[in-house]
Amino acid sequence: MWGAVVVGVGTAGCVRIRDMLVPLPGSPAANLSVKGFISRRSLDPHQGVSQISAEEAVTREDIHVAFVCTENVLHEDNIRTFLQAGKHVCVEYPMTMSYRAAVELWDLAQKKGVTLHEEHIELLTEDFKALKREIQGKILQEGTLHFTGGALKPGFGFQAFSGIARLTWLVELFGDLSVAAATMEEDSGNNYSKMTAKLLTSDNRPLTWIEERGPSLPRTKNINFHFETYTLTQIPAAPRGDVGLFMQDLIHFSAKLTGQVSAEELHKEKTRVLHCLELAERIQQLALKK
């Protein structure tokens, strides 16, 4: 069994605790056992799991894994703390707020001989899988992905990082990208912001990624992908899968711990994560350039 601690008990942290308490039978996730949770607040037991301190978690020999579910800006420090202690780490995206920090953390994980995993449940959704099947083999001419959602809470970071799930979609669909330009519009009085990134595929096809946030905006993704023979303007509808998204991610992470994921797949995943973080950093630099 792999003893685990959950750092942060917001929505994601509570789901992590729930899934470890009732894992999918027969899956690698059944090898995880939650030993406690960490919070800056003083809390009563949650789902029968007690609060422990970070100091206790890093020194306990029966805790091998940390799930980092805090605000985005706190991810890096928490990851580093547990990697230094020789613990495996699963972190909600984005891993860090800079490309260089992510490289350093991955190097640290390799040095310590432990697993570092960044959650990306958006790649596990049935609608994304359907979209990927729909465009397979088709040649993109140009495209747009426009996300809207509620105002961001403090601690989530710049939109290229907080919204890196959408950027990851584009990289998974169209391969490595480069950043041509980026802008940021803000109305702090109304808690509104809009980031626009102009991207290019490896064969110089233009892609526009827009993250628009405001109190009255619905949470939705709109696409407009032009191919040689047709235009796709809606994400294909797909029924929800039988296994929850966080449980699927938990199984994938657990499979890494038990050596069931190939070195080739691990390298591919690491390369994608670092590429997306490098793109996000470049977008931020261009969008905030005076």
Side-chain angles (χ1 to χ4, degrees), residues 35-180:
K35 301 295 185 182
F37 68 85
I38 297 169
S39 176
R40 297 191 300 275
R41 299 168 290 163
S42 180
L43 300 173
D44 293 331
H46 185 78
Q47 302 179 65
V49 178
S50 297
Q51 183 172 4
I52 63 175
S53 68
E55 293 74 19
E56 179 182 350
V58 296
T59 56
R60 277 178 54 171
E61 293 185 359
D62 65 336
I63 292 180
H64 316 93
V65 178
F67 288 85
V68 177
C69 309
T70 61
E71 299 92 333
N72 296 346
V73 295
L74 300 178
H75 286 178
E76 179 184 342
D77 288 344
N78 280 299
I79 295 169
R80 195 180 305 277
T81 294
F82 284 97
L83 290 182
Q84 288 284 12
K87 314 292 186 184
H88 305 282
V89 174
C90 172
V91 60
E92 311 305 317
Y93 73 78
M95 179 182 298
T96 61
M97 292 297 167
S98 79
Y99 167 74
R100 183 174 180 178
V103 171
E104 291 174 354
L105 291 176
W106 233 303
D107 288 345
L108 178 58
Q110 185 174 9
K111 178 182 176 182
K112 292 289 184 176
V114 295
T115 297
L116 175 57
H117 170 83
E118 184 183 69
E119 162 270 319
H120 277 286
I121 60 171
E122 77 281 359
L123 300 180
L124 305 175
T125 61
E126 295 304 316
D127 57 351
F128 175 74
K129 294 173 185 176
L131 176 60
K132 194 169 184 178
R133 289 192 298 268
E134 177 72 21
I135 71 169
Q136 189 173 9
K138 297 178 173 65
I139 300 175
L140 180 75
Q141 301 302 303
E142 63 177 320
T144 299
L145 171 58
H146 184 174
F147 172 83
T148 63
L152 281 174
K153 297 177 182 178
F156 276 70
F158 185 73
Q159 287 195 24
F161 288 97
S162 64
I164 207 166
R166 269 71 67 187
L167 182 58
T168 304
W169 261 37
L170 293 176
V171 169
E172 276 289 304
L173 292 172
F174 303 114
D176 286 356
L177 304 173
S178 59
V179 184

Side-chain angles (χ1 to χ4, degrees), residues 146-153 159 162 166 184-195 210-220:
H146 184 174
F147 172 83
T148 63
L152 281 174
K153 297 177 182 178
Q159 287 195 24
S162 64
R166 269 71 67 187
M184 187 72 179
E185 303 170 41
E186 290 185 283
D187 182 351
S188 56
N190 292 308
N191 212 5
Y192 170 84
S193 60
K194 181 180 180 181
M195 181 203 77
I210 301 169
E211 288 275 316
E212 190 173 10
R213 292 278 194 168
S216 61
L217 292 176
R219 186 176 180 88
T220 185

